[in-house]
Amino acid sequence: MSLDIHLQPGSLVSARGREWVVLPDSKDDTLILRPLGGSQREATLVYLPLERTPVAPASFPPPDPALAGSHQAGSLLRDALLLRFRAGGGPFRSFGNIAVEPRAYQLVPLLMALKQATVRLLIADDVGIGKTIEACLIARELLDRGEIGRLTVLCPPHLCEQWQGELDLHFNIPAEVVRTSTVGRLERGLPPGRSLFEVYPFTIVSLDYIKSDRRRDEFLRSCPEFVMVDEAHTCTRSGAGGRHQRYQLLKGLAETGGRHLVLLTATPHSGDEAAFSNLLGLLDPDFAGLHELPEGRRAALREQLARHFVQRRRPDIEEWQEASLFPERLTREAVYRLTGRWGQLFDDVLEYAREMIAGSAGLGLVEQRMNWWAALALLRCISSSPAAAVKALSTRIEAIEKAMSPDVLDEEGEALTLDGGADLAAISDSVPAAARDDVEHLALLASYADDLRGPAADPKLAALLAEVQALVAAGFRPVIFCRYVATAHYVAEHLAKAFPEYTVAAVTGELAPAEREERVVALAATDPRILVATDCLSEGVNLQEWLNAVVHYDLSWNPTRHEQREGRVDRFGQPSSQVRAVMLYGEDNPVDGAVLKVILRKAERIRKELGVLVPMPDDENRVSQAVMQAVLLRQQEGKSRARQLSLFEARLLPLEEDLDRKWQNIRDKVARNRTIFAQRRLRPEEVLPEWRKAMAALGGEEDVRRFVRQAAERLGAPLESRRQGFRLHLRHLPAVVRERLAGLGIDPAGPLDLEFRYPPPPGCRFIHRSHPLVAALADFLAEGAMDGSIPEIVARAGAIFTEAVTVRTVVLLVRLRCQLVISRAGQEHTMLAEEVLPVALAADSSDWLDGDAARQLLDAQPCRDMDPAARRRHVRAGLDRLAGLADRLEALALARAEALLADHRRVRDAAEARGQYRVRPVLPVDVIGVLVLVPFVPFV
């Protein structure tokens, strides 16, 4: 850096009649300055050739004894300074800007990213482990290191609002959602020729919006340099359709050199080898051919892939002694029987479906497939509920009258019927058309089904009500997953009748993503509560804060879907020590029996053995079709249902044996992968102490709580304790604070309900160190202390009588500034690290205390009042000692710089990261505050 030494980052200068701190990225002729008592938001540019008065070095003035305040005024300054800093002295630059406490294992992807000049990561941790936190830690760290300036998240449309909330609440990144309903507002007023991705630095983009050819090309041109892709497995299929468009989008992004790309998925390998190869190829084209290589070359390439691929399961976390982070999951099966009129209706529909298949023998291939899809869909709906059956039979009648291309109907039929690649929000209750015209018979079946609503005639619903009663009696709050919209509404209606004291809500794909989120949040504000949902909520949505049990009302034909459903509550952050999962199925229903026996029970057995979910081999749709072919074989006349089921199971045996062999092969691969992709060689436990150091230097939860309560009280707006959380009446705060809050998006006229612990109660805002309320209060008080305008509230100097000392002791609050220079990939980047430390010096000693010992003295409590004149006298005496401490304070700064360098090197070594670090203290050290502790001698 060629800047004059007095103008380098961290230096104090005088310009335009006030003092400033020089910030990084200043140049020879242009300085970026922050007011000495101001915040980062008040930074300004100063172009030196145009300044009338030359910018000159400045020094930090000592406290003024005439403005000495009370003990509370001094401690409030300490907390304001502590919480004001965003760039502390630790090796992780982002910790001052986040509102989560990462666990050791969640630091592993960050350590991996720090090893790479261009980050390319596939984070494939198990459902509920915290992939979002892991990815956002990387993004926030690169932002705070100055390595990126813009970022975007690509995700399915129903997850946009959740990502927006996560980035804002926990990582202090205010992002805009980009999709069809918002893009008009965002593009309004853009400069000509500028993309919204260039104007808005942080965006969350719906994959369905951006995947089209026209929008994709514009996005590739202006895409930010850091991209996170959620549910990346939905973007990896080649061929035709929406998934192909998603893949082409990601392929284009990956081909741009220097772009950071972080892919997130809990199911990287869903059984489709080609899709998995496409996913790996986004990290590096060489990885796409991994499965085709001979074993020797494959091992070497797998080692290289391990630098970009992290996949941990619950057992991997337990090996790091983190088992207490996750609840215990207890699973069970619950049965019902197809009794009475409902059993007869099922048999009638099954026979009708078999006749459809048999009657298509002389038709063309496409017509045969159309009948196949229609038969399967009818069986799924009749197995779900009377409401779904009525809906299916009615839409089956409508489908007969449609004049559509057989090819289109064939493609539509597969999407409507099977679980493999369906858009979870778009699963329809419709039954696809078939090459058969029998409206009268369908209408009769629909009428019959309509008479069977309610637990008296519907044994499946009766079984559900009993299961829910047992769950809520044991203190659980369940979510019931259904495949069909009609079933979800039907189940919710009868649950509301059976549990009138509960709030029951149904959330389905009929609702827009924002409406779904609103309904879930509204339900969370009630207690007790029951949620009914379709699979639009089974992927990516966090329900662990409000619910802790899952009931599979409709079995999925894909075991991954079951894991995703249960992962909504069994995940990081679940406050309950135990979660329940119940699979409800028809004991004598051949559809349920086949899916359960051949697919779901095997998947669950392997999950319990390995601790991981192993995806179904090959294409899960082919397996599902093979199972259903056995179901649709014509039954033998005169045989009882029990005998028919026995024959049916015999037909399934060859399919089971073949599936077992394939599943075993994949299981062995998964076991091998865990030895390499679990990333055990990285040592996150060695750098976790850096987090704790950062919280000590920057302020944690208890510091935030203490500061906000004391600041609000001293500013005339004390917190009001409520049954849940606190209420702050913002209108009582000073006008300057209210104006700042309004500028930060907080209505200063109304009350603010808040809580300092996460998760907050419904209706309360989570207040953390980077929340706008904390920032506004800390900035106002720090500025007031520096200019001496409100010494009765906050002050730089004070003196108290206390029993904490036996001799007069001076406690100094010093601010240390260090230049941190990172050399990486041939580039140098300079950052400014700031921290406030207390140091104490007793009158009868030449040694001083720092660290926890000095902090304890700073928290010493006064024993009796001290008159203002005595306070000023003691403060002057304390300031007199400063003259002889310059060398010792400089030695302290040098020691802290060495410690900071050692911390950075330890993190770099733990991550095996490239690059070098240099740390240089900025001198002289600033003495921000002085507190004199006078021993209290009681009257005898």
Side-chain angles (χ1 to χ4, degrees):
M1 176 178 290
S2 58
L3 275 175
D4 184 279
I5 189 66
H6 298 299
L7 300 180
Q8 290 191 5
S11 302
L12 298 183
V13 297
S14 175
R16 302 179 183 177
R18 63 188 303 189
E19 281 69 46
W20 310 76
V21 178
V22 179
L23 299 181
D25 296 326
S26 295
K27 309 296 181 186
D28 287 342
D29 58 357
T30 305
L31 299 182
I32 304 175
L33 304 178
R34 184 193 72 211
L36 182 59
S39 67
Q40 198 81 14
R41 293 186 301 275
E42 296 176 272
T44 189
L45 290 174
V46 172
Y47 184 55
L48 297 179
L50 296 182
E51 290 298 302
R52 295 181 178 178
T53 303
V55 174
S59 59
F60 192 80
D64 184 351
L67 299 176
S70 66
H71 172 257
Q72 292 86 351
S75 64
L76 197 57
L77 172 63
R78 184 269 313 267
D79 287 341
L81 293 173
L82 188 72
L83 296 170
R84 200 162 174 263
F85 291 143
R86 293 287 177 263
F92 294 108
R93 301 291 298 170
S94 59
F95 283 0
N97 277 312
I98 65 177
V100 294
E101 181 174 351
R103 310 301 299 188
Y105 74 89
Q106 290 174 330
L107 293 174
V108 167
L110 175 58
L111 296 179
M112 294 174 68
L114 292 177
K115 295 170 62 175
Q116 303 175 20
T118 299
V119 178
R120 292 291 170 95
L121 279 185
L122 172 56
I123 303 177
D125 287 344
D126 207 356
V127 173
I129 283 182
K131 292 183 293 297
T132 301
I133 291 175
E134 292 168 347
C136 290
L137 280 171
I138 297 171
R140 184 72 256 184
E141 183 69 21
L142 294 186
L143 278 171
D144 292 329
R145 287 170 175 259
E147 296 185 29
I148 63 172
R150 297 182 297 144
L151 67 85
T152 195
V153 178
L154 300 178
C155 65
H158 63 284
L159 299 181
C160 288
E161 278 73 18
Q162 180 167 303
W163 268 98
Q164 185 180 40
E166 188 74 25
L167 286 171
D168 185 38
L169 179 63
H170 290 137
F171 294 91
N172 200 27
I173 300 175
E176 295 284 355
V177 171
V178 181
R179 59 168 169 239
T180 305
S181 60
T182 65
V183 71
R185 172 181 59 82
L186 296 175
E187 289 182 338
R188 197 174 300 123
L190 287 181
R194 296 291 300 280
S195 165
L196 67 88
F197 299 105
E198 296 168 325
V199 174
Y200 297 96
F202 311 128
T203 51
I204 300 154
V205 186
S206 162
L207 278 163
D208 285 350
Y209 169 80
I210 208 68
K211 69 185 181 184
S212 68
D213 295 343
R214 177 177 59 83
R215 292 172 180 149
R216 181 179 70 231
D217 292 343
E218 168 62 20
F219 182 65
L220 291 175
R221 182 190 68 79
S222 57
C223 179
E225 60 269 31
F226 187 93
V227 178
M228 293 181 279
V229 185
D230 197 10
E231 306 297 347
H233 62 279
T234 67
C235 310
T236 55
R237 287 191 180 175
S238 54
R243 286 199 169 195
H244 171 67
Q245 289 181 311
R246 291 183 178 187
Y247 174 62
Q248 290 301 315
L249 171 66
L250 295 197
K251 191 168 180 289
L253 292 174
E255 288 171 350
T256 302
R259 174 167 287 123
H260 306 289
L261 188 62
V262 177
L263 308 173
L264 310 177
T265 175
T267 53
H269 197 317
S270 59
D272 185 335
E273 196 68 53
F276 183 57
S277 295
N278 288 339
L279 182 64
L280 296 183
L282 296 174
L283 302 173
D284 186 314
D286 290 344
F287 298 150
L290 180 66
H291 67 287
E292 300 173 349
L293 294 176
E295 184 57 39
R297 292 178 58 194
R298 188 186 308 165
L301 193 58
R302 278 164 56 87
E303 286 290 338
Q304 185 179 341
L305 174 61
R307 301 170 190 167
H308 303 270
F309 185 11
V310 55
Q311 184 176 35
R312 279 85 52 85
R313 305 308 192 192
R314 301 293 175 88
D316 302 316
I317 306 304
E318 291 171 5
E319 289 170 8
W320 279 340
Q321 306 302 312
E322 298 282 355
S324 61
L325 296 175
F326 303 104
E328 177 188 17
R329 186 196 306 185
L330 298 182
T331 61
R332 63 180 296 269
E333 297 175 0
V335 300
Y336 66 93
R337 294 187 63 81
L338 295 171
T339 57
R341 294 188 299 154
W342 183 247
Q344 184 58 53
L345 175 63
F346 182 89
D347 290 342
D348 290 346
V349 173
L350 179 58
E351 178 60 24
Y352 172 78
R354 285 172 170 156
E355 289 175 359
M356 269 202 298
I357 299 300
S360 64
L363 302 176
L365 180 61
V366 172
E367 286 76 10
Q368 289 183 38
R369 286 172 58 85
M370 288 167 56
N371 279 9
W372 166 256
W373 299 131
L376 284 186
L378 281 175
L379 286 178
R380 295 205 75 169
C381 291
I382 202 72
S383 298
S384 180
S385 70
V390 171
K391 177 71 172 175
L393 292 164
S394 300
T395 57
R396 172 79 183 85
I397 295 171
E398 296 172 6
I400 290 172
E401 300 169 352
K402 285 183 178 179
M404 297 177 65
S405 161
D407 292 327
V408 172
L409 290 172
D410 177 41
E411 184 177 342
E412 179 189 71
E414 181 175 8
L416 289 174
T417 306
L418 300 180
D419 288 344
D423 183 340
L424 301 184
I427 290 176
S428 171
D429 291 7
S430 300
V431 172
R436 177 170 173 163
D437 187 357
D438 38 18
V439 172
E440 186 175 339
H441 185 55
L442 289 168
L444 182 63
L445 290 175
S447 175
Y448 194 75
D450 201 34
D451 291 336
L452 300 179
R453 296 173 184 263
D458 181 356
K460 182 179 181 181
L461 179 63
L464 173 72
L465 297 180
E467 289 298 321
V468 171
Q469 179 60 57
L471 285 171
V472 299
F476 288 91
R477 301 179 302 281
V479 51
I480 294 93
F481 278 105
C482 310
R483 189 180 196 274
Y484 297 105
V485 172
T487 300
H489 289 303
Y490 168 76
V491 167
E493 174 191 349
H494 288 281
L495 282 171
K497 292 177 181 177
F499 300 92
E501 70 277 21
Y502 282 70
T503 300
V504 180
V507 178
T508 72
E510 300 168 298
L511 303 173
E515 294 174 311
R516 288 177 229 158
E517 182 182 22
E518 289 172 5
R519 188 163 296 186
V520 170
V521 170
L523 179 68
T526 66
D527 192 36
R529 66 187 78 98
I530 298 173
L531 175 62
V532 183
T534 60
D535 281 311
C536 69
L537 289 188
S538 71
E539 193 172 79
V541 178
N542 298 333
L543 301 176
Q544 74 274 17
E545 297 171 20
W546 310 303
L547 303 168
N548 54 11
V550 169
V551 178
H552 303 281
Y553 191 72
D554 292 328
L555 298 183
S556 172
W557 294 0
N558 182 349
T560 301
R561 185 67 45 79
H562 275 226
E563 181 67 16
Q564 288 170 331
R565 289 173 175 179
E566 293 170 16
R568 298 313 98 216
V569 302
D570 182 9
R571 60 193 302 110
F572 181 73
Q574 169 61 256
S576 299
S577 61
Q578 188 183 94
V579 298
R580 298 276 180 91
V582 180
M583 282 198 302
L584 186 63
Y585 71 97
E587 189 176 27
D588 53 353
N589 181 333
V591 177
D592 283 359
V595 171
L596 193 69
K597 184 174 189 295
V598 178
I599 299 175
L600 298 180
R601 281 181 179 155
K602 293 181 186 299
E604 178 64 12
R605 187 185 71 242
I606 293 172
R607 188 187 71 81
K608 287 183 175 179
E609 288 175 3
L610 289 185
V612 305
L613 176 70
V614 176
M616 196 153 48
D618 298 322
D619 183 347
E620 66 271 22
N621 286 349
R622 289 199 296 271
V623 175
S624 300
Q625 290 184 60
V627 171
M628 287 303 104
Q629 282 175 349
V631 172
L632 287 170
L633 289 174
R634 176 172 292 279
Q635 64 184 16
Q636 298 182 18
E637 298 295 339
K639 300 292 184 182
S640 67
R641 183 181 293 160
R643 178 60 179 154
Q644 292 291 340
L645 287 171
S646 177
L647 293 171
F648 160 66
E649 290 191 0
R651 294 188 189 106
L652 283 179
L653 187 59
L655 175 63
E656 285 187 78
E657 292 174 347
D658 180 60
L659 192 59
D660 276 344
R661 286 192 297 271
K662 293 178 179 177
W663 224 325
Q664 183 64 43
N665 289 336
I666 294 182
R667 178 180 158 184
D668 293 342
K669 289 180 181 178
V670 169
R672 287 197 302 270
N673 285 348
R674 285 181 58 194
T675 66
I676 184 169
F677 299 130
Q679 303 295 343
R680 294 189 183 92
R681 65 185 178 186
L682 294 179
R683 303 181 299 279
E685 66 279 1
E686 293 185 9
V687 300
L688 194 60
E690 312 309 333
W691 161 265
R692 300 190 179 102
K693 286 183 183 179
M695 288 303 95
L698 296 170
E701 179 183 296
E702 290 305 316
D703 299 297
V704 172
R705 179 194 299 269
R706 181 181 63 248
F707 170 70
V708 172
R709 296 193 70 161
Q710 292 182 357
E713 181 176 356
R714 294 185 67 80
L715 292 174
L719 290 183
E720 173 190 333
S721 294
R722 298 172 63 80
R723 186 172 66 88
Q724 289 187 311
F726 303 89
R727 172 166 288 182
L728 174 61
H729 295 279
L730 300 175
R731 67 181 184 277
H732 298 314
L733 292 174
V736 174
V737 178
R738 296 200 307 272
E739 290 173 6
R740 292 183 179 181
L741 290 175
L744 295 170
I746 297 177
D747 181 8
L752 180 67
D753 293 328
L754 54 91
E755 178 54 87
F756 301 98
R757 294 186 181 275
Y758 187 84
C764 288
R765 293 206 193 189
F766 172 45
I767 304 300
H768 45 85
R769 75 175 318 278
S770 56
H771 191 276
L773 174 65
V774 177
L777 291 174
D779 287 346
F780 174 76
L781 292 169
E783 292 164 17
M786 296 306 172
D787 62 24
S789 59
I790 45 174
E792 70 282 1
I793 295 175
V794 61
R796 293 179 59 194
I800 60 170
F801 291 113
T802 179
E803 294 179 339
V805 296
T806 56
V807 297
R808 190 168 67 181
T809 302
V810 178
V811 181
L812 304 179
L813 199 61
V814 299
R815 176 171 59 188
L816 303 180
R817 296 190 300 275
C818 289
Q819 288 180 16
L820 172 63
V821 182
I822 299 179
S823 301
R824 191 179 184 196
Q827 294 184 338
E828 263 193 10
H829 185 64
T830 301
M831 296 176 289
L832 180 63
E834 296 182 273
E835 60 180 328
V836 172
L837 296 177
V839 294
L841 187 65
D844 61 350
S845 173
S846 59
D847 296 327
W848 60 13
L849 303 173
D850 58 12
D852 290 339
R855 266 187 282 273
Q856 291 175 6
L857 289 178
L858 199 60
D859 291 329
Q861 296 301 307
C863 292
R864 66 180 177 88
D865 292 338
M866 180 182 291
D867 67 77
R871 184 184 300 143
R872 289 192 294 271
R873 185 173 65 254
H874 285 298
V875 168
R876 287 193 188 96
L879 290 173
D880 288 343
R881 299 204 64 183
L882 285 181
L885 295 179
D887 290 343
R888 298 186 64 179
L889 289 174
E890 181 173 328
L892 172 66
L894 290 169
R896 290 295 299 171
E898 287 296 321
L900 175 58
L901 181 59
D903 289 344
H904 276 271
R905 284 175 173 163
R906 184 163 53 255
V907 169
R908 185 186 66 190
D909 292 342
E912 302 173 3
R914 300 168 182 169
Q916 296 188 358
Y917 299 86
R918 301 195 310 275
V919 179
R920 187 182 73 83
V922 178
L923 301 173
V925 173
D926 299 332
V927 177
I928 302 290
V930 175
L931 175 64
V932 181
L933 306 181
V934 182
F936 173 64
V937 180
F939 296 106
V940 179

